[in-house]
């Protein structure tokens, strides 16, 4: 049964944000975890720290009109939610996907507050996006859209105010088009976006960072079970930025990825997925994952996404989208003796799925800790931009590894301190919240 604190928060959040189910889900999880912290620190309750945190500092919703290749006018909706600047400028990606609406951006922005706090770098939380679908659009159409999107967004962001980055549907191409338009409108060359190209202010390792960071985090989960990646069978959902570089790193560490997916279906290759083929199909040809089986005859393709969790594996890295692992998926993983789940995507497991993992002794690395490597490396990109310097691949990778280890330590220590040993969900929420809450207390009622 939910407590009075959680019920009161959820009553307020659902009333003020009707229909935003993903946002409600994200708030409930954090509220349940941090209740013990509020009980121990009555000043947080008195100063309504959490009640303030669930209300974004500022949210923008705007029209994005653009001309397609046929000369026809198209209209999309743009969003930027600036959630919390308690510990630094707002920071969080931009998502272009037809499913985007305010509730998705708010769930992502809310999660981002705690994730960013865990990274040990001084960045606040925010998120943005649009219901624009880059799939099937020409480069020219994507450019027109990005320029129109930035024509409104530019007045709300800045290298010390709000620093967006990529997310689903926003990679190097889109960041480039948005950066070009920002520079033109603001007449200012500054590190206002991260995920930039290496020739114009980007950081080495940023492309790989979320996937690599995820694997560094799960490495610690495996160490706690006295094992490692060698010889493990791994299922990775998605075949985008996070998934591809997670697979690259697990291969370097001696594991084999046997299944990957996109939003239409999944492939299984018992010989081990050939990552070069996936990279070419997804990154260069912008094709579909099913094209893989045309080249690798022993691999099979299955239409539909959810079946991927029924493929027997030792470790699962859901790296596509929110709520992609439900209770049935989690039970299938448990049945097949999966020992660890690390979330590459944001909130990919439903609350019921997380419960199944925790009840069955599966090591579970929650998104806001396990996938924080991307934003952490974005913070390193901001740092290099401010210094007008570029670090080597090895230097950035070393820092990323140190940060992921520091995140793991914070999560395990917080969980233990608050009587929930090994519960990384609670540990991540508590450690992230404490840093933000203390900053809010110091800064007064703002
Ligand atoms: P990409 O756009 O590069 O790739 C997304 C992948 O997930 C694609 O394979 C896509 O398939 C699939 N996908 C997207 N939506 C759905 C859906 N509704 N159902 C099933 N599959 C879907 O995005 P990223 O790899 O950057 O992001 C993946 C996840 O990781 C997201 O949750 C994102 O928020 C999170 N994340 C990303 C970070 C980053 O640095 N990029 C940082 C931290 C978290 P298709 O091609 O068919 O659309």
């Amino acid at each position: 049964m939910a407590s009075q604190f959680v019920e009161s928060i959820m009553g307020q959040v659902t009333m003020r944000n009707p229909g935003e189910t993903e946002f409600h889900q994200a708030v409930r999880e954090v509220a349940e975890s941090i209740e013990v912290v509020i009980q121990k620190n009555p000043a947080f309750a008195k100063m309504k720290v959490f009640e303030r945190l669930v209300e974004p500092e500022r949210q923008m919703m705007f029209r994005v009109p653009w001309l397609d290749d046929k000369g026809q006018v198209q209209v999309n909706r743009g969003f930027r939610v600036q959630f919390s600047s308690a510990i630094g400028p707002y920071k969080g990606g931009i998502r272009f996907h037809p499913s985007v609406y305010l509730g998705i951006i708010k769930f992502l922005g809310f999660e981002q507050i705690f994730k960013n706090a865990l990274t040990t770098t001084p960045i606040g939380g925010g998120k943005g996006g649009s219901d624009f679908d880059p799939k099937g659009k020409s480069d020219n159409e994507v450019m027109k859209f990005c320029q129109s999107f930035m024509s409104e967004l530019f007045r709300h962001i800045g290298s010390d105010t709000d620093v967006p980055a990529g997310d689903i549907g926003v990679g190097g191409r889109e960041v480039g088009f948005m950066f070009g338009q920002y520079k033109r409108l603001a007449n200012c060359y500054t590190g206002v976006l991260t995920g930039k190209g290496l020739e114009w202010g980007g950081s080495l390792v940023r492309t790989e960072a979320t996937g690599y960071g995820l694997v560094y985090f799960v490495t610690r989960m495996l160490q706690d079970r006295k094992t490692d990646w060698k010889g493990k069978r791994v299922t990775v959902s998605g075949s985008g930025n996070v998934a591809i570089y997670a697979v690259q790193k697990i291969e370097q560490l001696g594991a084999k990825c046997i299944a990957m997916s996109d939003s239409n279906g999944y492939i299984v290759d018992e010989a081990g997925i050939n990552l070069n083929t996936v990279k070419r199909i997804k990154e260069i040809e912008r094709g579909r994952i099913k094209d893989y089986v045309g080249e690798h005859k022993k691999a099979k393709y299955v239409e539909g996404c959810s079946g991927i969790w029924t493929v027997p594996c030792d470790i699962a890295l859901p790296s596509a989208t929110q709520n992609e692992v439900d209770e049935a998926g989690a039970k299938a993983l448990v049945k097949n003796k999966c020992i660890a789940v690390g979330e590459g995507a944001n909130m990919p497991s439903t609350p019921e799925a997380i419960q199944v993992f925790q009840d069955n002794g599966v090591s579970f690395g929650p998104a806001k800790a396990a996938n924080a490597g991307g934003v952490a490396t974005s913070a390193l990109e901001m740092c290099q931009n401010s210094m007008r310097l570029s670090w080597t691949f090895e230097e950035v990778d070393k820092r990323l590894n140190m940060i992921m280890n520091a995140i793991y330590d914070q999560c395990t220590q917080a969980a233990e301190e608050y009587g929930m040993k090994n519960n990384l969900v609670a540990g991540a929420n508590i450690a992230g919240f404490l840093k933000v809450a203390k900053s809010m207390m110091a800064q007064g009622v703002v």
Side-chain angles (χ1 to χ4, degrees), residues 95-97 99 107-108 112 115 127 133 135 165-171 206-207 209-211 237-244 261-265 282 287-289 305 318-322 324 343-348 367 371-375 378:
R95 175 177 293 192
F96 292 163
H97 194 271
S99 63
F107 116 66
L108 290 163
Q112 200 82 44
K115 178 189 308 193
K127 199 84 188 186
D133 187 359
K135 234 178 271 163
D167 190 77
I168 291 178
V170 178
R206 178 59 189 90
T207 305
T210 310
S237 64
S239 47
N241 174 266
V242 179
I244 284 176
S261 63
D262 64 17
S263 56
N264 293 111
K282 300 302 283 188
R288 310 305 303 155
I289 200 75
C305 303
S319 302
T321 195
Q322 63 275 355
E324 55 169 316
E343 294 190 319
N346 282 309
M347 207 168 76
N371 75 21
V375 74
S378 277

Side-chain angles (χ1 to χ4, degrees), residues 106-337:
K106 268 155 76 175
F107 116 66
L108 290 163
F110 184 72
E111 292 269 295
Q112 200 82 44
I113 305 172
F114 308 98
K115 178 189 308 193
N116 293 4
L118 288 170
T119 63
T120 72
T121 60
I123 43 176
K127 199 84 188 186
S130 172
D131 56 2
F132 173 73
D133 187 359
K135 234 178 271 163
K137 304 288 190 303
S138 69
D139 284 351
N140 185 52
E141 289 176 321
V142 172
M143 182 182 74
K144 293 262 187 60
F145 173 81
C146 288
Q147 290 178 340
S148 181
F149 183 81
M150 187 50 82
S151 295
E152 171 58 33
L153 188 67
F154 91 100
R155 69 191 88 246
H156 307 293
I157 61 176
S159 53
D160 290 318
T161 311
D162 183 354
V163 185
D167 190 77
I168 291 178
V170 178
R173 175 181 62 169
E174 291 76 13
V175 169
F177 292 148
M178 287 192 276
F179 183 78
Q181 184 72 352
Y182 177 88
K183 186 164 60 79
R184 183 184 189 193
L185 293 169
N187 191 25
C188 182
Y189 202 111
T190 142
V192 69
L193 290 162
T194 56
K196 298 186 289 298
L198 294 177
E199 303 81 5
W200 41 279
S203 172
L204 285 160
V205 193
R206 178 59 189 90
T207 305
E208 295 85 355
T210 310
Y212 277 23
L214 169 67
V215 175
Y216 296 150
F217 190 89
V218 175
T219 300
R220 290 291 303 275
M221 290 163 46
L222 296 176
Q223 275 170 9
D224 279 355
R225 299 182 76 106
K226 311 242 177 306
T227 186
D228 59 25
W229 290 95
K230 284 195 200 75
K232 298 287 189 301
R233 289 165 56 91
V234 186
T235 292
V236 183
S237 64
S239 47
N241 174 266
V242 179
I244 284 176
Y245 293 96
V247 173
Q248 188 174 83
K249 184 51 79 178
I250 62 160
E251 282 180 354
Q252 288 170 11
L253 297 174
K256 180 166 85 170
C257 173
I258 38 126
M260 292 183 86
S261 63
D262 64 17
S263 56
N264 293 111
Y266 65 95
I267 50 168
V268 181
D269 189 343
E270 289 290 340
I273 300 268
N274 184 317
L275 193 59
N276 286 334
T277 308
V278 173
K279 281 184 77 167
R280 196 192 66 243
I281 293 171
K282 300 302 283 188
E283 291 184 342
I284 298 169
E285 297 165 3
R286 295 186 188 270
R288 310 305 303 155
I289 200 75
K290 76 165 171 237
D291 301 344
Y292 181 93
V293 294
E295 296 177 45
H296 300 274
K297 299 294 179 204
K298 287 193 177 146
K300 66 169 188 181
Y301 173 73
V302 183
E303 196 72 25
C305 303
S306 57
I308 194 171
W309 309 120
T310 62
V311 179
C313 66
D314 302 305
I315 299 165
L317 304 176
S319 302
T321 195
Q322 63 275 355
N323 292 327
E324 55 169 316
V325 191
D326 60 8
E327 187 174 6
K331 283 184 172 161
L333 285 165
V334 167
K335 185 162 160 262
N336 286 323
K337 306 210 164 21

Side-chain angles (χ1 to χ4, degrees), residues 66-78:
W66 56 282
L67 281 177
D68 68 17
D69 286 348
K70 295 191 194 103
Q72 281 169 357
V73 177
Q74 301 289 337
V75 185
N76 285 97
R77 182 172 280 182

Side-chain angles (χ1 to χ4, degrees), residues 57 84-91 121-125 160-161 382 439 443:
E57 288 177 16
S84 167
S85 61
I87 65 169
Y90 311 106
K91 180 92 196 85
T121 60
I123 43 176
D160 290 318
T161 311
M382 290 163 72
S439 309
Q443 292 169 22

